[in-house]
Amino acid sequence: MTCPFCSHPETKVIDSRESNDGKVIRRRRECLKCHRRFSTYEQLELLNFVVVKKDGRKEEYQREKLETGIKKALEKRPVEEKKIEEMIDEIEYKLHQKGSCEISSKEIGSLVLEKLKVIDEVAYLRFASVYKSFGSAESFKKEAEKLSQS
């Protein structure tokens, strides 16, 4: 690991701790040249799959796209950044558990809705309005009623 302060290529690990339910390892490091300390995070990268869109097109999975959609739904809502990251991590974990090389955008959207329903009902309705492509105010109203009943 290269030191971010002096760019020296050698550092030593002072401390390692698991975080995020063992899915991430935080390492505290010290540069062997300037002796400054910094932290690194290691996360297993398992997501090499293709997303199949509604129209049949295929594209490589991109965490950033998922994050952008979720953040738009949660815009100006009282949800911490950490909670959003945890939610995305959980969704990715479930996608990985499926063991498939191809995942439909519908499956991803369903997982997002499942998580948003618990975290923030307004964000759920915002995301659902795009994901489910409501054709009228009536269909939006029905979805809001279903949400309030559960």
Side-chain angles (χ1 to χ4, degrees), residues 55-88:
D55 63 4
R57 286 182 301 117
K58 296 178 181 182
E59 62 181 52
E60 194 173 316
Y61 170 78
Q62 296 174 10
R63 180 184 175 102
E64 298 78 29
K65 285 182 117 177
L66 179 62
E67 187 175 356
T68 299
I70 291 170
K71 284 184 175 181
K72 279 183 183 178
L74 286 164
E75 193 170 0
K76 296 184 182 179
R77 300 299 301 155
V79 179
E80 294 178 15
E81 184 72 28
K82 183 181 179 195
K83 190 71 177 167
I84 296 170
E85 289 298 318
E86 287 173 1
M87 181 175 127
I88 294 169

Coordinates of all heavy atoms in Angstrom, one line a residue, residues 55-88:
D55 N -36.3 -3.7 -21.9 CA -36.3 -3.8 -23.4 C -35.4 -4.9 -23.9 O -35.3 -5.1 -25.1 CB -36.0 -2.5 -24.1 CG -34.6 -2.0 -23.8 OD1 -33.8 -2.7 -23.1 OD2 -34.3 -0.9 -24.3
G56 N -34.8 -5.7 -23.0 CA -33.9 -6.8 -23.4 C -32.4 -6.4 -23.5 O -31.6 -7.3 -23.6
R57 N -32.1 -5.1 -23.5 CA -30.7 -4.7 -23.6 C -30.0 -5.2 -22.3 O -30.6 -5.4 -21.3 CB -30.6 -3.1 -23.6 CG -30.9 -2.5 -24.9 CD -30.7 -1.0 -24.8 NE -31.5 -0.4 -23.8 CZ -31.0 0.3 -22.7 NH1 -29.8 0.4 -22.6 NH2 -31.8 0.8 -21.8
K58 N -28.7 -5.4 -22.5 CA -27.8 -5.8 -21.4 C -26.7 -4.9 -21.2 O -26.1 -4.4 -22.1 CB -27.3 -7.2 -21.7 CG -28.3 -8.3 -21.8 CD -27.7 -9.6 -22.1 CE -28.8 -10.7 -22.3 NZ -28.2 -12.0 -22.6
E59 N -26.4 -4.6 -19.9 CA -25.3 -3.8 -19.5 C -24.7 -4.2 -18.2 O -25.3 -4.8 -17.4 CB -25.7 -2.3 -19.5 CG -26.7 -1.9 -18.4 CD -27.1 -0.5 -18.4 OE1 -27.4 0.1 -19.5 OE2 -27.0 0.1 -17.3
E60 N -23.4 -3.9 -18.1 CA -22.7 -4.3 -16.9 C -23.2 -3.6 -15.7 O -23.6 -2.5 -15.7 CB -21.2 -4.0 -17.1 CG -20.3 -4.6 -16.1 CD -18.8 -4.4 -16.4 OE1 -18.4 -4.5 -17.6 OE2 -18.1 -4.1 -15.5
Y61 N -23.3 -4.4 -14.6 CA -23.8 -3.8 -13.3 C -22.9 -2.7 -12.9 O -21.7 -2.8 -12.9 CB -23.9 -4.9 -12.2 CG -24.1 -4.3 -10.9 CD1 -25.4 -3.9 -10.5 CD2 -23.1 -4.1 -10.0 CE1 -25.7 -3.3 -9.3 CE2 -23.4 -3.5 -8.7 CZ -24.6 -3.2 -8.4 OH -24.9 -2.6 -7.1
Q62 N -23.5 -1.6 -12.4 CA -22.7 -0.4 -11.9 C -23.3 0.0 -10.6 O -24.5 0.5 -10.6 CB -22.7 0.7 -12.9 CG -22.0 0.4 -14.2 CD -22.1 1.6 -15.2 OE1 -22.6 2.6 -14.9 NE2 -21.8 1.3 -16.4
R63 N -22.6 -0.1 -9.5 CA -23.1 0.3 -8.2 C -23.5 1.8 -8.2 O -24.5 2.2 -7.6 CB -22.0 0.1 -7.2 CG -22.4 0.5 -5.8 CD -21.2 0.3 -4.8 NE -21.6 0.8 -3.5 CZ -21.9 0.1 -2.4 NH1 -22.0 -1.3 -2.6 NH2 -22.2 0.6 -1.3
E64 N -22.8 2.6 -9.0 CA -23.1 4.0 -9.0 C -24.5 4.3 -9.5 O -25.1 5.2 -9.0 CB -22.0 4.8 -9.9 CG -20.6 4.7 -9.4 CD -19.9 3.3 -9.7 OE1 -20.3 2.7 -10.7 OE2 -19.1 2.9 -8.9
K65 N -24.9 3.6 -10.5 CA -26.3 3.8 -11.0 C -27.3 3.4 -9.9 O -28.3 4.2 -9.8 CB -26.5 2.9 -12.2 CG -25.8 3.4 -13.5 CD -26.1 2.6 -14.7 CE -26.9 3.4 -15.7 NZ -27.2 2.6 -16.9
L66 N -27.1 2.4 -9.2 CA -28.0 2.0 -8.1 C -28.0 3.1 -7.1 O -29.1 3.5 -6.6 CB -27.6 0.6 -7.5 CG -28.4 0.1 -6.4 CD1 -29.8 -0.2 -6.8 CD2 -27.8 -1.2 -5.9
E67 N -26.9 3.5 -6.7 CA -26.7 4.5 -5.7 C -27.4 5.8 -6.1 O -28.1 6.5 -5.3 CB -25.2 4.8 -5.4 CG -24.9 5.7 -4.3 CD -23.4 5.8 -4.0 OE1 -22.6 5.1 -4.6 OE2 -23.1 6.6 -3.1
T68 N -27.3 6.2 -7.3 CA -27.9 7.5 -7.8 C -29.4 7.4 -7.7 O -30.1 8.3 -7.3 CB -27.5 7.7 -9.3 OG1 -26.0 7.9 -9.3 CG2 -28.1 9.0 -9.9
G69 N -30.0 6.2 -8.2 CA -31.4 6.1 -8.1 C -32.0 6.1 -6.7 O -33.0 6.8 -6.4
I70 N -31.3 5.5 -5.8 CA -31.7 5.5 -4.4 C -31.6 6.9 -3.8 O -32.5 7.3 -3.1 CB -30.9 4.4 -3.6 CG1 -31.3 3.0 -4.1 CG2 -31.1 4.6 -2.1 CD1 -30.4 1.9 -3.5
K71 N -30.5 7.5 -4.1 CA -30.3 8.9 -3.5 C -31.3 9.9 -4.1 O -31.7 10.8 -3.3 CB -28.8 9.4 -3.8 CG -27.8 8.7 -2.9 CD -26.5 9.3 -3.0 CE -25.5 8.7 -2.0 NZ -24.2 9.2 -2.1
K72 N -31.7 9.7 -5.3 CA -32.8 10.6 -5.8 C -34.1 10.4 -5.1 O -34.8 11.3 -4.8 CB -33.0 10.3 -7.3 CG -32.0 11.0 -8.2 CD -32.3 10.8 -9.7 CE -31.3 11.4 -10.6 NZ -31.5 11.1 -12.0
A73 N -34.4 9.1 -4.8 CA -35.6 8.8 -4.1 C -35.5 9.4 -2.6 O -36.5 9.8 -2.1 CB -35.9 7.3 -4.0
L74 N -34.3 9.4 -2.1 CA -34.2 9.8 -0.7 C -33.8 11.3 -0.5 O -33.5 11.8 0.6 CB -33.1 9.0 0.0 CG -33.5 7.5 0.3 CD1 -32.3 6.7 0.6 CD2 -34.5 7.6 1.5
E75 N -33.8 12.0 -1.7 CA -33.4 13.4 -1.7 C -34.2 14.2 -0.7 O -35.5 14.1 -0.6 CB -33.5 14.0 -3.1 CG -32.9 15.3 -3.2 CD -32.8 15.8 -4.7 OE1 -33.3 15.0 -5.6 OE2 -32.3 16.9 -4.9
K76 N -33.5 15.0 0.2 CA -34.2 15.8 1.2 C -35.0 15.0 2.2 O -35.9 15.5 2.9 CB -35.0 16.9 0.6 CG -34.2 17.9 -0.2 CD -35.0 19.0 -0.8 CE -34.1 19.9 -1.7 NZ -34.9 21.0 -2.2
R77 N -34.6 13.8 2.4 CA -35.3 12.9 3.4 C -34.3 12.7 4.6 O -33.1 12.7 4.3 CB -35.7 11.6 2.8 CG -36.7 11.6 1.7 CD -38.0 12.3 2.0 NE -38.7 11.6 3.1 CZ -39.5 12.1 4.0 NH1 -39.9 13.4 3.8 NH2 -40.1 11.4 4.9
P78 N -34.8 12.5 5.8 CA -33.9 12.4 6.9 C -33.2 11.0 7.1 O -33.4 10.2 8.0 CB -34.8 12.6 8.1 CG -36.1 12.1 7.6 CD -36.2 12.4 6.2
V79 N -32.4 10.6 6.1 CA -31.7 9.3 6.1 C -30.2 9.5 5.9 O -29.8 10.2 5.0 CB -32.2 8.4 4.9 CG1 -31.5 7.1 4.9 CG2 -33.7 8.2 5.0
E80 N -29.5 9.0 6.9 CA -28.0 9.2 6.9 C -27.4 8.4 5.7 O -27.8 7.4 5.3 CB -27.4 8.6 8.2 CG -27.9 9.4 9.4 CD -27.3 8.8 10.7 OE1 -26.3 7.9 10.6 OE2 -27.8 9.1 11.8
E81 N -26.2 9.0 5.3 CA -25.4 8.4 4.2 C -25.0 7.0 4.5 O -25.0 6.1 3.7 CB -24.2 9.3 4.0 CG -23.3 8.8 2.8 CD -23.9 9.1 1.4 OE1 -24.7 10.0 1.3 OE2 -23.6 8.3 0.5
K82 N -24.7 6.7 5.8 CA -24.3 5.4 6.2 C -25.4 4.4 6.0 O -25.2 3.3 5.6 CB -23.9 5.4 7.7 CG -23.4 4.1 8.2 CD -23.0 4.2 9.7 CE -22.5 2.8 10.1 NZ -22.4 2.6 11.5
K83 N -26.6 4.8 6.3 CA -27.8 3.9 6.1 C -28.0 3.6 4.6 O -28.3 2.4 4.2 CB -29.0 4.6 6.6 CG -30.2 3.7 6.7 CD -30.0 2.6 7.8 CE -31.3 1.8 7.9 NZ -31.1 0.6 8.7
I84 N -27.7 4.5 3.7 CA -27.8 4.3 2.3 C -26.8 3.3 1.8 O -27.1 2.4 1.1 CB -27.7 5.6 1.5 CG1 -28.8 6.6 1.9 CG2 -27.6 5.4 0.0 CD1 -28.7 8.0 1.4
E85 N -25.6 3.5 2.3 CA -24.5 2.6 2.0 C -24.8 1.1 2.4 O -24.5 0.2 1.7 CB -23.1 3.0 2.6 CG -22.6 4.3 1.9 CD -22.2 4.1 0.4 OE1 -21.7 3.0 0.1 OE2 -22.5 5.0 -0.4
E86 N -25.3 1.0 3.7 CA -25.6 -0.3 4.2 C -26.7 -0.9 3.3 O -26.7 -2.1 3.1 CB -26.1 -0.2 5.6 CG -25.0 0.1 6.6 CD -25.6 0.4 8.0 OE1 -26.8 0.4 8.2 OE2 -24.7 0.7 8.9
M87 N -27.7 -0.1 2.9 CA -28.8 -0.6 2.1 C -28.3 -1.2 0.8 O -28.6 -2.3 0.3 CB -29.8 0.5 1.9 CG -31.0 0.1 1.1 SD -32.1 1.5 1.0 CE -32.4 1.6 -0.8
I88 N -27.4 -0.4 0.1 CA -26.8 -0.8 -1.1 C -26.0 -2.1 -1.0 O -26.1 -3.0 -1.8 CB -26.0 0.3 -1.8 CG1 -26.9 1.5 -2.1 CG2 -25.2 -0.2 -3.0 CD1 -26.2 2.7 -2.5

